[in-house]
mmCIF file of all heavy atoms in Angstrom:
data_model
loop_
_atom_site.group_PDB
_atom_site.id
_atom_site.type_symbol
_atom_site.label_atom_id
_atom_site.label_comp_id
_atom_site.label_asym_id
_atom_site.label_seq_id
_atom_site.Cartn_x
_atom_site.Cartn_y
_atom_site.Cartn_z
ATOM 1 N N GLN Z 25 -20.928 11.103 1.005
ATOM 2 C CA GLN Z 25 -22.327 11.168 1.375
ATOM 3 C C GLN Z 25 -23.195 11.737 0.253
ATOM 4 O O GLN Z 25 -24.414 11.588 0.278
ATOM 5 C CB GLN Z 25 -22.483 11.998 2.655
ATOM 6 C CG GLN Z 25 -23.865 12.053 3.249
ATOM 7 C CD GLN Z 25 -24.401 10.704 3.693
ATOM 8 O OE1 GLN Z 25 -24.206 10.291 4.813
ATOM 9 N NE2 GLN Z 25 -25.070 9.991 2.795
ATOM 10 N N TRP Z 26 -22.587 12.341 -0.737
ATOM 11 C CA TRP Z 26 -23.365 12.889 -1.850
ATOM 12 C C TRP Z 26 -23.510 11.846 -2.978
ATOM 13 O O TRP Z 26 -23.156 10.678 -2.808
ATOM 14 C CB TRP Z 26 -22.750 14.191 -2.346
ATOM 15 C CG TRP Z 26 -21.421 14.106 -3.037
ATOM 16 C CD1 TRP Z 26 -21.188 13.923 -4.372
ATOM 17 C CD2 TRP Z 26 -20.109 14.242 -2.438
ATOM 18 N NE1 TRP Z 26 -19.839 13.937 -4.640
ATOM 19 C CE2 TRP Z 26 -19.167 14.137 -3.478
ATOM 20 C CE3 TRP Z 26 -19.658 14.457 -1.139
ATOM 21 C CZ2 TRP Z 26 -17.782 14.217 -3.248
ATOM 22 C CZ3 TRP Z 26 -18.288 14.540 -0.904
ATOM 23 C CH2 TRP Z 26 -17.372 14.422 -1.936
ATOM 24 N N HIS Z 27 -24.043 12.265 -4.119
ATOM 25 C CA HIS Z 27 -24.311 11.359 -5.243
ATOM 26 C C HIS Z 27 -23.452 11.753 -6.449
ATOM 27 O O HIS Z 27 -23.927 12.434 -7.367
ATOM 28 C CB HIS Z 27 -25.792 11.397 -5.618
ATOM 29 C CG HIS Z 27 -26.670 10.615 -4.703
ATOM 30 N ND1 HIS Z 27 -27.034 9.314 -4.940
ATOM 31 C CD2 HIS Z 27 -27.229 10.960 -3.519
ATOM 32 C CE1 HIS Z 27 -27.803 8.881 -3.956
ATOM 33 N NE2 HIS Z 27 -27.941 9.856 -3.077
ATOM 34 N N PRO Z 28 -22.207 11.301 -6.502
ATOM 35 C CA PRO Z 28 -21.337 11.675 -7.627
ATOM 36 C C PRO Z 28 -21.671 10.937 -8.912
ATOM 37 O O PRO Z 28 -21.135 11.285 -9.974
ATOM 38 C CB PRO Z 28 -19.945 11.272 -7.118
ATOM 39 C CG PRO Z 28 -20.213 10.120 -6.206
ATOM 40 C CD PRO Z 28 -21.508 10.448 -5.536
ATOM 41 N N GLU Z 29 -22.541 9.918 -8.852
ATOM 42 C CA GLU Z 29 -22.889 9.188 -10.067
ATOM 43 C C GLU Z 29 -23.689 10.049 -11.045
ATOM 44 O O GLU Z 29 -23.713 9.775 -12.249
ATOM 45 C CB GLU Z 29 -23.664 7.911 -9.735
ATOM 46 C CG GLU Z 29 -25.090 8.090 -9.254
ATOM 47 C CD GLU Z 29 -25.220 8.357 -7.762
ATOM 48 O OE1 GLU Z 29 -24.218 8.704 -7.115
ATOM 49 O OE2 GLU Z 29 -26.347 8.229 -7.239
ATOM 50 N N TYR Z 30 -24.330 11.116 -10.525
ATOM 51 C CA TYR Z 30 -25.088 12.002 -11.404
ATOM 52 C C TYR Z 30 -24.131 12.816 -12.279
ATOM 53 O O TYR Z 30 -23.250 13.511 -11.780
ATOM 54 C CB TYR Z 30 -25.977 12.942 -10.594
ATOM 55 C CG TYR Z 30 -26.696 13.957 -11.456
ATOM 56 C CD1 TYR Z 30 -27.758 13.565 -12.278
ATOM 57 C CD2 TYR Z 30 -26.300 15.289 -11.470
ATOM 58 C CE1 TYR Z 30 -28.403 14.474 -13.079
ATOM 59 C CE2 TYR Z 30 -26.945 16.211 -12.286
ATOM 60 C CZ TYR Z 30 -27.998 15.802 -13.083
ATOM 61 O OH TYR Z 30 -28.628 16.716 -13.896
ATOM 62 N N ASN Z 31 -24.282 12.687 -13.595
ATOM 63 C CA ASN Z 31 -23.468 13.458 -14.542
ATOM 64 C C ASN Z 31 -21.977 13.212 -14.323
ATOM 65 O O ASN Z 31 -21.154 14.119 -14.469
ATOM 66 C CB ASN Z 31 -23.781 14.956 -14.402
ATOM 67 C CG ASN Z 31 -23.331 15.762 -15.598
ATOM 68 O OD1 ASN Z 31 -23.279 15.255 -16.722
ATOM 69 N ND2 ASN Z 31 -22.996 17.024 -15.371
ATOM 70 N N ALA Z 32 -21.623 11.960 -13.983
ATOM 71 C CA ALA Z 32 -20.254 11.660 -13.548
ATOM 72 C C ALA Z 32 -19.204 11.957 -14.607
ATOM 73 O O ALA Z 32 -18.098 12.399 -14.285
ATOM 74 C CB ALA Z 32 -20.161 10.198 -13.118
ATOM 75 N N ALA Z 33 -19.536 11.708 -15.876
ATOM 76 C CA ALA Z 33 -18.533 11.898 -16.920
ATOM 77 C C ALA Z 33 -18.164 13.357 -17.124
ATOM 78 O O ALA Z 33 -17.043 13.675 -17.533
ATOM 79 C CB ALA Z 33 -19.041 11.301 -18.238
ATOM 80 N N ALA Z 34 -19.094 14.267 -16.821
ATOM 81 C CA ALA Z 34 -18.856 15.689 -17.067
ATOM 82 C C ALA Z 34 -18.523 16.479 -15.817
ATOM 83 O O ALA Z 34 -17.938 17.557 -15.906
ATOM 84 C CB ALA Z 34 -20.078 16.308 -17.749
ATOM 85 N N ASP Z 35 -18.887 15.961 -14.658
ATOM 86 C CA ASP Z 35 -18.710 16.727 -13.419
ATOM 87 C C ASP Z 35 -17.251 16.681 -12.972
ATOM 88 O O ASP Z 35 -16.659 15.603 -12.842
ATOM 89 C CB ASP Z 35 -19.607 16.146 -12.324
ATOM 90 C CG ASP Z 35 -19.514 16.946 -11.046
ATOM 91 O OD1 ASP Z 35 -20.069 18.056 -11.000
ATOM 92 O OD2 ASP Z 35 -18.866 16.463 -10.096
ATOM 93 N N PRO Z 36 -16.625 17.842 -12.684
ATOM 94 C CA PRO Z 36 -15.202 17.871 -12.325
ATOM 95 C C PRO Z 36 -14.899 17.288 -10.949
ATOM 96 O O PRO Z 36 -13.723 17.038 -10.632
ATOM 97 C CB PRO Z 36 -14.856 19.369 -12.378
ATOM 98 C CG PRO Z 36 -16.155 20.074 -12.151
ATOM 99 C CD PRO Z 36 -17.203 19.197 -12.783
ATOM 100 N N VAL Z 37 -15.922 17.089 -10.118
ATOM 101 C CA VAL Z 37 -15.723 16.446 -8.816
ATOM 102 C C VAL Z 37 -15.947 14.939 -8.926
ATOM 103 O O VAL Z 37 -15.190 14.138 -8.370
ATOM 104 C CB VAL Z 37 -16.666 17.064 -7.771
ATOM 105 C CG1 VAL Z 37 -16.580 16.321 -6.444
ATOM 106 C CG2 VAL Z 37 -16.333 18.542 -7.570
ATOM 107 N N SER Z 38 -16.972 14.538 -9.640
ATOM 108 C CA SER Z 38 -17.287 13.116 -9.792
ATOM 109 C C SER Z 38 -16.234 12.372 -10.606
ATOM 110 O O SER Z 38 -15.861 11.238 -10.275
ATOM 111 C CB SER Z 38 -18.645 12.953 -10.474
ATOM 112 O OG SER Z 38 -19.669 13.590 -9.753
ATOM 113 N N ARG Z 39 -15.770 13.012 -11.679
ATOM 114 C CA ARG Z 39 -14.878 12.320 -12.608
ATOM 115 C C ARG Z 39 -13.595 11.813 -11.944
ATOM 116 O O ARG Z 39 -13.252 10.623 -12.087
ATOM 117 C CB ARG Z 39 -14.563 13.228 -13.805
ATOM 118 C CG ARG Z 39 -13.887 12.498 -14.958
ATOM 119 C CD ARG Z 39 -13.804 13.371 -16.202
ATOM 120 N NE ARG Z 39 -13.114 14.627 -15.949
ATOM 121 C CZ ARG Z 39 -13.722 15.828 -15.918
ATOM 122 N NH1 ARG Z 39 -15.020 15.915 -16.126
ATOM 123 N NH2 ARG Z 39 -13.032 16.924 -15.694
ATOM 124 N N PRO Z 40 -12.847 12.642 -11.197
ATOM 125 C CA PRO Z 40 -11.625 12.108 -10.586
ATOM 126 C C PRO Z 40 -11.889 11.027 -9.543
ATOM 127 O O PRO Z 40 -11.055 10.126 -9.359
ATOM 128 C CB PRO Z 40 -10.961 13.343 -9.964
ATOM 129 C CG PRO Z 40 -12.028 14.376 -9.873
ATOM 130 C CD PRO Z 40 -12.975 14.093 -10.984
ATOM 131 N N LEU Z 41 -13.046 11.090 -8.877
ATOM 132 C CA LEU Z 41 -13.371 10.062 -7.886
ATOM 133 C C LEU Z 41 -13.570 8.712 -8.565
ATOM 134 O O LEU Z 41 -12.992 7.695 -8.139
ATOM 135 C CB LEU Z 41 -14.629 10.471 -7.119
ATOM 136 C CG LEU Z 41 -15.119 9.486 -6.047
ATOM 137 C CD1 LEU Z 41 -14.077 9.282 -4.966
ATOM 138 C CD2 LEU Z 41 -16.434 9.985 -5.441
ATOM 139 N N PHE Z 42 -14.374 8.679 -9.629
ATOM 140 C CA PHE Z 42 -14.608 7.421 -10.329
ATOM 141 C C PHE Z 42 -13.370 6.958 -11.097
ATOM 142 O O PHE Z 42 -13.124 5.750 -11.224
ATOM 143 C CB PHE Z 42 -15.807 7.557 -11.266
ATOM 144 C CG PHE Z 42 -17.128 7.385 -10.573
ATOM 145 C CD1 PHE Z 42 -17.928 8.486 -10.290
ATOM 146 C CD2 PHE Z 42 -17.571 6.130 -10.195
ATOM 147 C CE1 PHE Z 42 -19.150 8.331 -9.649
ATOM 148 C CE2 PHE Z 42 -18.791 5.966 -9.551
ATOM 149 C CZ PHE Z 42 -19.583 7.070 -9.273
ATOM 150 N N GLN Z 43 -12.570 7.893 -11.610
ATOM 151 C CA GLN Z 43 -11.336 7.495 -12.285
ATOM 152 C C GLN Z 43 -10.375 6.820 -11.314
ATOM 153 O O GLN Z 43 -9.761 5.793 -11.635
ATOM 154 C CB GLN Z 43 -10.680 8.714 -12.929
ATOM 155 C CG GLN Z 43 -11.382 9.196 -14.185
ATOM 156 C CD GLN Z 43 -10.794 10.495 -14.726
ATOM 157 O OE1 GLN Z 43 -10.195 11.291 -13.989
ATOM 158 N NE2 GLN Z 43 -10.966 10.729 -16.018
ATOM 159 N N ALA Z 44 -10.247 7.367 -10.113
ATOM 160 C CA ALA Z 44 -9.369 6.771 -9.109
ATOM 161 C C ALA Z 44 -9.863 5.390 -8.693
ATOM 162 O O ALA Z 44 -9.068 4.454 -8.519
ATOM 163 C CB ALA Z 44 -9.274 7.686 -7.891
ATOM 164 N N PHE Z 45 -11.189 5.259 -8.545
ATOM 165 C CA PHE Z 45 -11.762 3.965 -8.207
ATOM 166 C C PHE Z 45 -11.506 2.963 -9.337
ATOM 167 O O PHE Z 45 -11.108 1.815 -9.093
ATOM 168 C CB PHE Z 45 -13.259 4.128 -7.949
ATOM 169 C CG PHE Z 45 -14.004 2.847 -7.711
ATOM 170 C CD1 PHE Z 45 -13.613 1.969 -6.707
ATOM 171 C CD2 PHE Z 45 -15.110 2.526 -8.488
ATOM 172 C CE1 PHE Z 45 -14.317 0.778 -6.487
ATOM 173 C CE2 PHE Z 45 -15.820 1.349 -8.265
ATOM 174 C CZ PHE Z 45 -15.417 0.475 -7.269
ATOM 175 N N GLY Z 46 -11.706 3.384 -10.585
ATOM 176 C CA GLY Z 46 -11.447 2.498 -11.722
ATOM 177 C C GLY Z 46 -9.995 2.070 -11.796
ATOM 178 O O GLY Z 46 -9.693 0.903 -12.076
ATOM 179 N N ASN Z 47 -9.075 2.994 -11.545
ATOM 180 C CA ASN Z 47 -7.646 2.650 -11.556
ATOM 181 C C ASN Z 47 -7.312 1.636 -10.464
ATOM 182 O O ASN Z 47 -6.503 0.726 -10.663
ATOM 183 C CB ASN Z 47 -6.805 3.909 -11.378
ATOM 184 C CG ASN Z 47 -6.839 4.813 -12.599
ATOM 185 O OD1 ASN Z 47 -7.144 4.365 -13.710
ATOM 186 N ND2 ASN Z 47 -6.546 6.088 -12.422
ATOM 187 N N ALA Z 48 -7.942 1.795 -9.291
ATOM 188 C CA ALA Z 48 -7.711 0.845 -8.205
ATOM 189 C C ALA Z 48 -8.232 -0.541 -8.581
ATOM 190 O O ALA Z 48 -7.588 -1.559 -8.280
ATOM 191 C CB ALA Z 48 -8.385 1.338 -6.927
ATOM 192 N N CYS Z 49 -9.388 -0.589 -9.241
ATOM 193 C CA CYS Z 49 -9.940 -1.876 -9.681
ATOM 194 C C CYS Z 49 -9.050 -2.516 -10.745
ATOM 195 O O CYS Z 49 -8.855 -3.738 -10.766
ATOM 196 C CB CYS Z 49 -11.350 -1.687 -10.227
ATOM 197 S SG CYS Z 49 -12.563 -1.175 -8.977
ATOM 198 N N ARG Z 50 -8.487 -1.697 -11.634
ATOM 199 C CA ARG Z 50 -7.585 -2.208 -12.664
ATOM 200 C C ARG Z 50 -6.330 -2.805 -12.040
ATOM 201 O O ARG Z 50 -5.860 -3.871 -12.439
ATOM 202 C CB ARG Z 50 -7.199 -1.070 -13.622
ATOM 203 C CG ARG Z 50 -7.519 -1.363 -15.073
ATOM 204 C CD ARG Z 50 -7.178 -0.189 -15.990
ATOM 205 N NE ARG Z 50 -7.682 1.077 -15.490
ATOM 206 C CZ ARG Z 50 -8.957 1.460 -15.591
ATOM 207 N NH1 ARG Z 50 -9.838 0.676 -16.168
ATOM 208 N NH2 ARG Z 50 -9.351 2.607 -15.110
ATOM 209 N N ALA Z 51 -5.810 -2.100 -11.027
ATOM 210 C CA ALA Z 51 -4.608 -2.603 -10.355
ATOM 211 C C ALA Z 51 -4.900 -3.913 -9.624
ATOM 212 O O ALA Z 51 -4.078 -4.837 -9.628
ATOM 213 C CB ALA Z 51 -4.094 -1.551 -9.374
ATOM 214 N N TRP Z 52 -6.085 -4.005 -9.002
ATOM 215 C CA TRP Z 52 -6.468 -5.234 -8.312
ATOM 216 C C TRP Z 52 -6.579 -6.391 -9.316
ATOM 217 O O TRP Z 52 -6.099 -7.495 -9.055
ATOM 218 C CB TRP Z 52 -7.779 -5.045 -7.572
ATOM 219 C CG TRP Z 52 -8.241 -6.295 -6.869
ATOM 220 C CD1 TRP Z 52 -9.066 -7.264 -7.371
ATOM 221 C CD2 TRP Z 52 -7.865 -6.729 -5.559
ATOM 222 N NE1 TRP Z 52 -9.238 -8.265 -6.444
ATOM 223 C CE2 TRP Z 52 -8.516 -7.963 -5.323
ATOM 224 C CE3 TRP Z 52 -7.060 -6.169 -4.560
ATOM 225 C CZ2 TRP Z 52 -8.379 -8.664 -4.130
ATOM 226 C CZ3 TRP Z 52 -6.928 -6.873 -3.364
ATOM 227 C CH2 TRP Z 52 -7.566 -8.109 -3.162
ATOM 228 N N ARG Z 53 -7.200 -6.111 -10.458
ATOM 229 C CA ARG Z 53 -7.362 -7.163 -11.468
ATOM 230 C C ARG Z 53 -6.006 -7.618 -12.004
ATOM 231 O O ARG Z 53 -5.770 -8.824 -12.186
ATOM 232 C CB ARG Z 53 -8.247 -6.679 -12.612
ATOM 233 C CG ARG Z 53 -8.463 -7.748 -13.675
ATOM 234 C CD ARG Z 53 -9.465 -7.327 -14.728
ATOM 235 N NE ARG Z 53 -9.698 -8.423 -15.657
ATOM 236 C CZ ARG Z 53 -10.534 -9.421 -15.448
ATOM 237 N NH1 ARG Z 53 -11.224 -9.474 -14.322
ATOM 238 N NH2 ARG Z 53 -10.697 -10.386 -16.337
ATOM 239 N N ALA Z 54 -5.106 -6.675 -12.275
ATOM 240 C CA ALA Z 54 -3.774 -7.025 -12.787
ATOM 241 C C ALA Z 54 -3.029 -7.895 -11.790
ATOM 242 O O ALA Z 54 -2.373 -8.878 -12.169
ATOM 243 C CB ALA Z 54 -2.983 -5.753 -13.087
ATOM 244 N N GLN Z 55 -3.127 -7.539 -10.510
ATOM 245 C CA GLN Z 55 -2.470 -8.338 -9.479
ATOM 246 C C GLN Z 55 -3.083 -9.740 -9.410
ATOM 247 O O GLN Z 55 -2.379 -10.746 -9.320
ATOM 248 C CB GLN Z 55 -2.603 -7.652 -8.119
ATOM 249 C CG GLN Z 55 -1.978 -8.426 -6.966
ATOM 250 C CD GLN Z 55 -2.349 -7.822 -5.617
ATOM 251 O OE1 GLN Z 55 -3.476 -7.372 -5.414
ATOM 252 N NE2 GLN Z 55 -1.406 -7.803 -4.702
ATOM 253 N N ARG Z 56 -4.410 -9.797 -9.478
ATOM 254 C CA ARG Z 56 -5.105 -11.080 -9.393
ATOM 255 C C ARG Z 56 -4.759 -11.969 -10.584
ATOM 256 O O ARG Z 56 -4.490 -13.160 -10.431
ATOM 257 C CB ARG Z 56 -6.618 -10.816 -9.343
ATOM 258 C CG ARG Z 56 -7.480 -12.043 -9.144
ATOM 259 C CD ARG Z 56 -8.839 -11.639 -8.590
ATOM 260 N NE ARG Z 56 -9.597 -10.803 -9.496
ATOM 261 C CZ ARG Z 56 -10.588 -11.240 -10.282
ATOM 262 N NH1 ARG Z 56 -10.905 -12.516 -10.277
ATOM 263 N NH2 ARG Z 56 -11.261 -10.411 -11.053
ATOM 264 N N MET Z 57 -4.743 -11.392 -11.799
ATOM 265 C CA MET Z 57 -4.405 -12.171 -12.985
ATOM 266 C C MET Z 57 -2.947 -12.633 -12.951
ATOM 267 O O MET Z 57 -2.617 -13.741 -13.365
ATOM 268 C CB MET Z 57 -4.658 -11.345 -14.246
ATOM 269 C CG MET Z 57 -6.124 -11.018 -14.503
ATOM 270 S SD MET Z 57 -7.178 -12.476 -14.765
ATOM 271 C CE MET Z 57 -7.982 -12.613 -13.154
ATOM 272 N N GLY Z 58 -2.073 -11.767 -12.416
ATOM 273 C CA GLY Z 58 -0.658 -12.150 -12.295
ATOM 274 C C GLY Z 58 -0.465 -13.318 -11.361
ATOM 275 O O GLY Z 58 0.316 -14.243 -11.640
ATOM 276 N N LEU Z 59 -1.173 -13.307 -10.257
ATOM 277 C CA LEU Z 59 -1.069 -14.404 -9.287
ATOM 278 C C LEU Z 59 -1.599 -15.693 -9.892
ATOM 279 O O LEU Z 59 -1.051 -16.781 -9.659
ATOM 280 C CB LEU Z 59 -1.841 -14.068 -8.016
ATOM 281 C CG LEU Z 59 -1.237 -12.963 -7.141
ATOM 282 C CD1 LEU Z 59 -2.159 -12.626 -5.976
ATOM 283 C CD2 LEU Z 59 0.127 -13.389 -6.597
ATOM 284 N N ARG Z 60 -2.675 -15.606 -10.680
ATOM 285 C CA ARG Z 60 -3.229 -16.803 -11.311
ATOM 286 C C ARG Z 60 -2.243 -17.408 -12.318
ATOM 287 O O ARG Z 60 -2.090 -18.614 -12.414
ATOM 288 C CB ARG Z 60 -4.548 -16.479 -12.008
ATOM 289 C CG ARG Z 60 -5.714 -16.316 -11.047
ATOM 290 C CD ARG Z 60 -7.009 -16.085 -11.784
ATOM 291 N NE ARG Z 60 -8.116 -15.951 -10.866
ATOM 292 C CZ ARG Z 60 -9.365 -15.686 -11.220
ATOM 293 N NH1 ARG Z 60 -9.642 -15.490 -12.505
ATOM 294 N NH2 ARG Z 60 -10.318 -15.591 -10.323
ATOM 295 N N ARG Z 61 -1.550 -16.521 -13.072
ATOM 296 C CA ARG Z 61 -0.589 -17.035 -14.062
ATOM 297 C C ARG Z 61 0.582 -17.719 -13.373
ATOM 298 O O ARG Z 61 1.076 -18.744 -13.830
ATOM 299 C CB ARG Z 61 -0.099 -15.886 -14.946
ATOM 300 C CG ARG Z 61 -1.112 -15.479 -16.025
ATOM 301 C CD ARG Z 61 -0.458 -14.582 -17.068
ATOM 302 N NE ARG Z 61 -0.116 -13.279 -16.506
ATOM 303 C CZ ARG Z 61 -0.923 -12.254 -16.512
ATOM 304 N NH1 ARG Z 61 -2.144 -12.359 -16.998
ATOM 305 N NH2 ARG Z 61 -0.542 -11.102 -15.988
ATOM 306 N N VAL Z 62 1.016 -17.136 -12.259
ATOM 307 C CA VAL Z 62 2.137 -17.727 -11.507
ATOM 308 C C VAL Z 62 1.766 -19.098 -10.962
ATOM 309 O O VAL Z 62 2.530 -20.060 -10.990
ATOM 310 C CB VAL Z 62 2.579 -16.777 -10.365
ATOM 311 C CG1 VAL Z 62 3.531 -17.494 -9.432
ATOM 312 C CG2 VAL Z 62 3.229 -15.532 -10.934
ATOM 313 N N SER Z 63 0.530 -19.189 -10.428
ATOM 314 C CA SER Z 63 0.107 -20.455 -9.833
ATOM 315 C C SER Z 63 -0.225 -21.501 -10.912
ATOM 316 O O SER Z 63 -0.193 -22.690 -10.657
ATOM 317 C CB SER Z 63 -1.104 -20.225 -8.946
ATOM 318 O OG SER Z 63 -2.185 -19.707 -9.688
#
């Protein structure tokens, strides 16, 4: 409910939240690209 985008790179609460989201997006992309190569 708060705004972690403010000062996200330096804030110790915002940073792990966005890092976890980025890692999840990376995993989704890797899975998607893998499926495309297989097909």
